[in-house]
Amino acid sequence: MAKEPTILVSACLLGVNCDYKGGNRLNQKVLDFVKDKNFIPVCPEIYGGQSTPRPGAEINGGQGDRVLIGEVKVVEPDGTDVSGEFIKGAQEVLQIAKLTGATLAILKAKSPSCGHGKTYDGNFSRTLVEGNGVLAALLLQNGIKVMTEEDL
Ligand code: SF4
């Protein structure tokens, strides 16, 4: 029998306390969707070497694909550049995707790593713009379908 494709899931959506405040974003719809499927929790910000809790970061301009090519940075509120950590974390998740043959990722909406379609604009004013987080952008570039919990 063919192996079922793996689904990557933002670990915070599954109740893992890895978000920047040290909490989680447990989502029942996500749990219900994956419970009978082959899934792997992932947290790119932790894989990038960041701690929990940590300062909430945003992408200058909100577009993760521009971070990946070095055009813009991911910054913390005090201006600290964490682009390297975000890129490393995304690359580690891509490695997991390749190892497991993942074809779909269900990621946390609006996050500078995991967001898909909309992210915050980098001014720390809760303003959303069109764009993907750094991980979402990298997965899309590698042919992996990305959804958020809001799409379920
Ligand atoms: Fe959740 Fe993604 Fe943020 Fe990790 S990086 S806490 S998985 S939104």
Side-chain angles (χ1 to χ4, degrees):
M1 200 167 79
K3 198 175 154 194
E4 187 190 341
T6 301
I7 303 171
L8 305 175
V9 186
S10 290
C12 59
L13 292 173
L14 299 170
V16 179
N17 292 322
C18 55
D19 81 3
Y20 74 97
K21 291 181 176 172
N24 66 72
R25 307 300 179 97
L26 180 62
N27 184 291
Q28 191 61 45
K29 277 190 190 169
V30 175
L31 281 181
D32 290 344
F33 182 80
V34 301
K35 70 181 180 208
D36 299 326
K37 300 182 176 70
N38 192 11
F39 68 93
I40 296 184
V42 293
C43 179
E45 292 178 25
I46 299 302
Y47 298 159
Q50 298 192 273
S51 59
T52 300
R54 55 192 173 278
E58 293 190 7
I59 300 169
N60 281 324
Q63 284 149 8
D65 52 341
R66 297 184 68 204
V67 176
L68 291 168
I69 57 174
E71 275 188 3
V72 299
K73 298 181 188 313
V74 188
V75 292
E76 295 179 342
D78 70 356
T80 301
D81 179 1
V82 286
S83 308
E85 288 88 337
F86 273 65
I87 292 170
K88 178 181 188 301
Q91 289 170 336
E92 300 297 350
V93 175
L94 179 61
Q95 173 68 2
I96 291 170
K98 289 178 175 171
L99 281 169
T100 60
T103 54
L104 171 65
I106 301 173
L107 303 181
K108 175 74 188 73
K110 301 171 194 164
S111 153
S113 287
C114 293
H116 179 237
K118 284 180 190 159
T119 63
Y120 292 110
D121 70 353
N123 289 314
F124 298 94
S125 59
R126 310 296 290 172
T127 304
L128 289 166
V129 291
E130 277 187 29
N132 298 314
V134 178
L135 172 63
L138 186 65
L139 295 179
L140 288 167
Q141 287 174 8
N142 284 273
I144 296 169
K145 183 176 176 187
V146 175
M147 304 167 57
T148 74
E149 75 279 17
E150 295 176 351
D151 299 319
L152 293 177

